[in-house]
Amino acid sequence: MSHFMRAAVVLLLAGLIVVSGGAASHAADAAKIALVIGNAKYPDNEFVLNDAANDAQDVAKELTRDGFVVEQQINLAGDVMRQTLDRFYARIAPGSVALIFFDGFAIQSNRQTYLLPVDAQIWTEPDVSRDGFSLDAILAEMNTRGAAIKIALIDASRRNPFERRFRRYSAGLAPTITPSNSLVLYSAALGAVVASGQSDHSLFVTELLREMRAPNVSAEQALTNTKNGVIGATNREQVPWLSSSLTTEFSFASIITRPPDNKGGDQTSSKPETQKPACEVPQPDATPSADDLAKDPVIADLTRKLAANAADTVSRYKRGQIYAIKRAYALAMQDFDAVIRLDPKDGEALNNRCWTRAATGDLQGALADCNLALQVDPGLSDALDSRGLVNLKLGRTADAIKDYTDAIQRNPRSSSSLFGRGVATRKSGGDGATDIALAKSMDPNIAKEFAGYGVTECTP
């Protein structure tokens, strides 16, 4: 790495600060706090991302007009980015709205999305977490500081030079674990990338700004409209990813609280989730048709790679993952089978085949795969989570609780393990409500996911 010069000294002077309504250090001066980062000048990239710098400026101006106290920074090196985030956290007052916008390069590693400073030196997998900033950690810190509403707008689903150094494919961005009352929007689908062009403005931010300016529209609807606008403008070639766990309505101009159903209650503290039936069973999403799967841009790209090289296990494993996530389990099994034939000790592939078999009801086959995955890699928390699902479906609740607990010790932020343990605890006669509530606050769709496996939190 010595032949790549770090740009930190020059970039320490590159930040611009835009503050609306008083000094940014006084969090109590405003209820809405925003940090806008546009990283355009990565020395390892062949050209400057002009759209990142321009879009960051435009977003900062729009948020300022909407009453946010905005700090805008351009071209941040790692040390400055860390200091900027710390300053952002310090400005968050309990009950406030906290928003981060990032435009630049990001990369997925160990199922987390890392935002990259301009001086990142990424050559191996461990470099990603060393030089990058975990979006999961940023949202968690926003929540810890007391932000009532957390928003992350990430325009970083770009094919970047770092991934090509140590991977044979571009992994795109990973789903983030969202605290309750959060909104997260990516410019492209999970695992997908948008080709970087030398343009002055991105389509994603152009659509975002248009929707943010719309009067009397909730923030969630504005982001949904942004997603639909990008899909329509690109003929479905670019599909932004949106995750919402909002229970309070919010618009970029004001906060709107849902009125309670009863006429005499507190007008500011209704909790819709507590008014739902205690054991409402969500309906899982339908399995996409063969045509829809074939048209998926990520699947299509991986299929082209496999047509050129049938022994490309990375592309086959990745395609199997996507098939499984979309509940196309038969196709997923074919890909995982092929990977395992080439490498019978691929722990990740064995775990994914275990999970797929568990979802389809082949519980003994699933159990054998999970056990083998854990023999290959005893510390594989995902395999413990998958085996917990198998034991849960087999009615072995004590074994399920142990597997889920072991998985949580390795990954305390696993919504799947928390929900599974809560359900297993409830089915064994215990409460389980704390685990289930925490899992739902982290992933509002977790109950629907488990319903797709044939598991619900309901007890007879």
Side-chain angles (χ1 to χ4, degrees):
M1 290 188 288
S2 59
H3 61 288
F4 282 89
M5 300 298 293
R6 299 176 72 87
V9 175
V10 174
L11 295 167
L12 283 171
L13 304 176
L16 299 175
I17 298 178
V18 180
V19 180
S20 167
S25 60
H26 299 292
D29 289 348
K32 297 187 287 189
I33 307 298
L35 172 62
V36 175
I37 298 174
N39 281 351
K41 295 182 179 179
Y42 290 85
D44 292 328
N45 199 44
E46 58 185 346
F47 56 85
V48 176
L49 303 175
N50 289 325
D51 55 339
N54 294 336
D55 289 339
Q57 183 175 2
D58 291 344
V59 169
K61 288 180 179 177
E62 179 59 34
L63 290 172
T64 300
R65 282 194 292 268
D66 291 336
F68 281 81
V69 174
V70 181
E71 179 174 353
Q72 178 193 343
Q73 295 280 358
I74 304 296
N75 294 330
L76 295 185
D79 289 343
V80 186
M81 192 161 167
R82 183 171 291 103
Q83 294 166 12
T84 301
L85 284 166
D86 287 342
R87 191 163 56 244
F88 171 59
Y89 301 144
R91 293 193 293 129
I92 297 174
S96 63
V97 178
L99 181 151
I100 182 169
F101 172 87
F102 178 84
D103 204 325
F105 284 141
I107 197 167
Q108 174 185 163
S109 180
N110 293 322
R111 302 189 181 184
Q112 291 192 55
T113 292
Y114 289 87
L115 313 182
L116 299 182
V118 294
D119 63 344
Q121 295 292 302
I122 311 294
W123 293 91
T124 63
E125 196 77 35
D127 295 339
V128 178
S129 58
R130 182 200 65 194
D131 284 5
F133 295 84
S134 165
L135 181 58
D136 282 5
I138 291 171
L139 286 164
E141 187 64 24
M142 292 160 67
N143 191 56
T144 299
R145 296 297 179 113
I149 295 176
K150 285 73 62 176
I151 302 174
L153 308 174
I154 309 299
D155 189 4
S157 302
R158 295 179 169 94
R159 179 167 283 108
N160 62 65
F162 307 110
E163 285 184 324
R164 292 191 288 270
R165 291 174 178 171
F166 62 100
R167 293 177 181 165
R168 287 178 289 172
Y169 66 97
S170 179
L173 304 188
T176 187
I177 296 174
T178 57
S180 61
N181 245 19
S182 298
L183 268 177
V184 179
L185 181 66
Y186 291 168
S187 55
L190 300 177
V193 292
V194 179
S196 297
Q198 299 186 48
S199 59
D200 291 333
H201 297 276
S202 77
L203 170 66
F204 170 73
V205 173
T206 299
E207 293 290 333
L208 175 65
L209 291 171
R210 178 184 296 116
E211 299 302 333
M212 288 173 65
R213 292 165 183 153
N216 301 319
V217 174
S218 70
E220 184 171 356
Q221 187 61 53
L223 299 192
T224 300
N225 293 344
T226 299
K227 173 182 174 179
N228 293 337
V230 173
I231 291 172
T234 63
N235 195 25
R236 301 193 67 84
E237 291 185 4
Q238 182 177 345
V239 181
W241 179 75
L242 174 62
S243 174
S244 173
S245 60
L246 286 187
T247 57
T248 300
E249 288 192 36
F250 164 75
S251 70
F252 289 105
S254 62
I255 299 176
I256 307 167
T257 305
R258 301 178 190 271
D261 290 340
N262 61 311
K263 296 181 179 180
D266 183 349
Q267 295 295 311
T268 62
S269 60
S270 71
K271 298 179 180 179
E273 288 188 359
T274 61
Q275 297 170 5
K276 294 179 180 179
C279 196
E280 181 179 348
V281 179
Q283 294 299 312
D285 294 331
T287 302
S289 67
D291 287 342
D292 287 340
L293 290 169
K295 292 176 183 177
D296 183 285
V298 179
I299 292 176
D301 182 58
L302 293 169
T303 301
R304 283 192 293 270
K305 291 178 180 179
L306 288 167
N309 179 14
D312 182 354
T313 56
V314 172
S315 293
R316 194 170 295 280
Y317 170 77
K318 184 71 175 176
R319 191 177 69 175
Q321 283 187 309
I322 296 171
Y323 279 145
I325 290 170
K326 291 179 177 292
R327 304 183 68 233
Y329 296 127
L331 293 172
M333 283 292 296
Q334 292 176 15
D335 279 340
F336 294 139
D337 285 346
V339 173
I340 293 167
R341 278 197 298 270
L342 292 170
D343 183 2
K345 292 187 177 182
D346 187 325
E348 290 284 358
L350 285 163
N351 164 60
N352 275 275
R353 193 170 70 176
C354 168
W355 166 46
T356 304
R357 281 178 161 164
T360 58
D362 179 10
L363 300 181
Q364 294 303 324
L367 189 61
D369 277 343
C370 273
N371 286 338
L372 185 53
L374 288 165
Q375 289 177 22
V376 172
D377 185 355
L380 188 57
S381 63
D382 287 343
L384 287 166
D385 177 86
S386 298
R387 193 171 70 180
L389 175 62
V390 176
N391 283 320
L392 180 57
K393 294 190 71 173
L394 285 169
R396 302 172 181 172
T397 54
D399 290 336
I401 291 170
K402 184 180 185 306
D403 280 337
Y404 282 131
T405 299
D406 289 345
I408 291 165
Q409 288 177 349
R410 291 167 173 79
N411 181 9
R413 294 179 62 78
S414 172
S415 57
S416 174
S417 297
L418 285 164
F419 189 85
R421 187 173 70 176
V423 172
T425 301
R426 181 170 288 180
K427 290 185 182 298
S428 65
D431 184 9
T434 300
D435 279 343
I436 291 172
L438 180 56
K440 287 181 175 179
S441 73
M442 296 163 65
D443 181 358
N445 293 315
I446 191 65
K448 180 187 288 187
E449 178 183 331
F450 269 72
Y453 308 148
V455 174
T456 74
E457 62 192 279
C458 300
T459 53

